[in-house]
Every structure is written in structure tokens, then in C-alpha cells.
Amino acid sequence: MERVKGRTALVTGAADGLGAAIAARLVAEGARIGIIDRSAEAIDKARQTPELRDAVFIAGDLTDGDDIARMMGAFAAKGMIFDILVNNAGGSLHTPKAFLEESDEDWERVMALNVTAAVRVSRHVLPGMIKTGFGRVINLGSKAGRYGSLFTGANYVAAKGAIQSMTLQMAQEFGPHGITCNAVCPGAILTPRVERLLSERMSPEERQKAVEAIPVRRNGRVEDVAAAVAFFAADEAGFITGQLMDVNGGQGMAS
Ligand SMILES: NC(=O)c1ccc[n+]([C@@H]2O[C@H](COP(=O)([O-])OP(=O)(O)OC[C@H]3O[C@@H](n4cnc5c(N)ncnc54)[C@H](O)[C@@H]3O)[C@@H](O)[C@H]2O)c1
């Protein structure tokens, strides 16, 4: 399928993890891709993957507003005007799970990457979408932000709740301009990093119980999330906006 043929997409935090799989899927569906990531090492590795060979990588820190402005200027200098924005960068940054152990700094770091970075990048991208009368914004929420978490803390849950609510308001505001805004909300997706976090924070018995609580009886894969993002990114999804799509094997459901 080439559902985003001719489109240009920006995926944040996409040299590794879910973002890299999302970027690769959008390339496979025909898009030209811009990627922001802070890790030079991850960028070097991502460049080796055949799907991301032609992606435009800009290295920088998404928690720094000035650096975001610089990176967006670098894309503009390469003539990249984005039709699709995937605000993917985020995470609990391995801050403590226990509420009383989370410091102010833990809260600030998690909010900066999950919420403020998405706000700032969106602010740069949306004017171009308004001008062309077309846009697809896809934010990464989480099962944690929808239903609470088994292994991350209140700061991450609150940050994902914020981005999910922001998604609804952006859908309201930018709908008249041909721009949809949706969120994909994954359950635990077994990247090497999450595998490490789960094994630190849960016993093998707890992990087994968690999988048994998932109706499809397996953890998520990066491809599961990439497929959901590609669905929202397509031209044909233009009547679907303000939606929070659970990608969690049925572990959390809402009617
Ligand atoms: N992995 C999961 O199980 C899971 C589940 C639900 C939601 N999510 C959400 O999906 C998104 C991606 O998660 P992931 O597990 O792939 O993330 P990850 O921690 O593996 O990070 C992916 C990339 O983001 C980059 N990055 C981190 N901080 C950055 C910064 N300040 N500036 C620029 N780049 C930065 C990293 O270098 C890395 O390449 C996040 O929003 C996360 O909250 C993940």
C-alpha cells in the first residue's frame, strides 16, 4: 500500500524504538521522512537500515526550545514542509514509579519531553499545514495515560494524559483547516529498552500474569504501533479526528 505517497512526514525521537518503526512504515507507504533524534549513535545505526537510508536526520535535543527552532530551520533549508507530524518522542525516562520518590526534576524532565516538545514542534509545523489545507498530526499517548500503569509512575501517566487531552483540542481547532489530530496509545511494546525496564521492575510471575491479562496473549510489537500510525496518516482517514486509538491487545478497553 502507498497510502502516504508524495507526502512528507516528520517523526520525532525516531532513530530507535517505536519511532524508527513508524518512520520505516511511512517510508514503505511512500512518504519522504524527516527524523529528529538526540543520539548520534542511534542515528548512525538507523541510517544503516534500508528503509531509512534516504531519511533526513537532524540531531538535537527536543527538550530545548532553541534547539527545536534550529532543527526546524534546518529542515526548512532542505525544502521540507511537513504534511504529517508524528510526535513520538517521549517516555518515563526511567524516573521512579513511586509517587513519593518522584522529584520536581523528574516531573519536569518527563513533562518537557512528552508534552512541551510536542507543543513546540507542532507550533512549528502547523502553519505550513494550514497554508496547504492538509495535515495529519499523530501524537503518541499510552495505555498508561488512559488506564494507569503497572510499571511507570504518576509523572508519565499525567504527561500522557496531557498529550491525549491536547489531541482532542487540536482536533477541534485545526479541523477546519483540513488537519486531523489523533493519538495512538500503545500498551507495553517490547523494545530492548522496555524489556530491560520490565525485568527490573516486575518479577517473572508478575510479567506472566500481565501477559495473561492481555486478551491476545502477547506483548506489543513496534510494527503494531507503526500500522496504527500509518492508518491515521493516510489521506483516506480524513474524517477521523480527535480519536485515541488503543494498541494494547485488549488489555485496556473503553466503550
Ligand atoms: N515502548 C513502549 O512500550 C511504549 C508504550 C506506550 C507508549 N510509548 C510511547 O511511544 C513513544 C516512543 O517510545 P520508545 O519506547 O520507542 O522510546 P525510546 O526511549 O526508545 O526513545 C526513542 C528515541 O527518542 C530519542 N530521544 C530521547 N530523548 C530525546 C530528546 N530529548 N531529544 C531528541 N531525541 C530524544 C532517543 O535517542 C531514542 O532514539 C514515547 O512517546 C513513549 O512514551 C512507548
Side-chain angles (χ1 to χ4, degrees):
M1 283 192 282
E2 292 202 310
R3 291 179 292 182
V4 291
K5 196 170 164 56
R7 299 289 184 195
T8 304
L10 173 62
V11 190
T12 65
D16 200 359
L18 274 58
I22 292 165
R25 176 68 188 250
L26 293 176
V27 167
E29 297 257 8
R32 184 183 181 208
I33 292 283
I35 288 176
I36 290 177
D37 204 286
R38 166 175 80 168
S39 164
E41 195 190 332
I43 289 177
D44 281 349
K45 215 167 131 205
R47 278 192 215 277
Q48 316 294 321
T49 60
E51 297 91 343
L52 299 181
R53 201 182 39 218
D54 297 328
V56 175
F57 289 88
I58 307 279
D61 183 359
L62 285 156
T63 62
D64 177 336
D66 292 339
D67 214 20
I68 289 177
R70 174 191 63 79
M71 292 188 278
M72 298 311 295
F75 284 121
K78 290 176 187 294
M80 294 182 88
I81 297 166
F82 297 109
D83 310 295
I84 299 163
L85 167 63
V86 186
N87 284 310
N88 167 74
S92 65
L93 306 178
H94 296 212
T95 55
K97 177 171 188 277
F99 186 85
L100 295 177
E101 287 169 20
E102 288 175 349
S103 65
D104 285 357
E105 202 230 334
D106 292 330
W107 274 86
E108 277 157 22
R109 284 173 55 224
V110 167
M111 286 293 168
L113 183 62
N114 287 275
V115 185
T116 314
V119 172
R120 286 174 170 154
V121 174
S122 299
R123 222 187 258 144
H124 281 280
V125 171
L126 283 160
M129 291 179 171
I130 291 170
K131 213 178 261 176
T132 59
F134 176 90
R136 298 280 180 268
V137 179
I138 300 133
N139 294 325
L140 263 291
S142 174
K143 177 179 155 286
R146 300 266 284 151
Y147 310 105
S149 175
L150 297 173
F151 61 98
T152 59
N155 54 1
Y156 179 66
V157 171
K160 288 304 185 190
I163 196 136
Q164 288 159 200
S165 296
M166 187 176 89
T167 300
L168 312 189
Q169 190 59 22
M170 288 173 74
Q172 284 277 356
E173 191 170 336
F174 297 105
H177 299 284
I179 300 166
T180 65
C181 189
N182 294 287
V184 172
C185 304
I189 306 296
L190 280 196
T191 61
R193 186 188 59 75
V194 169
E195 180 63 51
R196 273 199 311 279
L197 186 65
L198 285 173
S199 56
E200 280 164 27
R201 295 193 171 180
M202 292 170 87
S203 68
E205 294 73 31
E206 284 170 330
R207 291 190 60 178
Q208 181 57 32
K209 251 173 93 181
V211 171
E212 279 162 16
I214 301 174
V216 306
R217 295 289 190 278
R218 68 166 174 86
N219 285 116
R221 304 178 184 124
V222 291
E223 293 79 9
D224 297 320
V225 178
V229 171
F231 168 76
F232 281 134
D235 282 28
E236 66 188 359
F239 200 56
I240 302 169
T241 196
Q243 301 304 306
L244 309 177
M245 187 197 276
D246 286 325
V247 181
N248 63 30
Q251 194 178 14
M253 303 186 204
S255 69

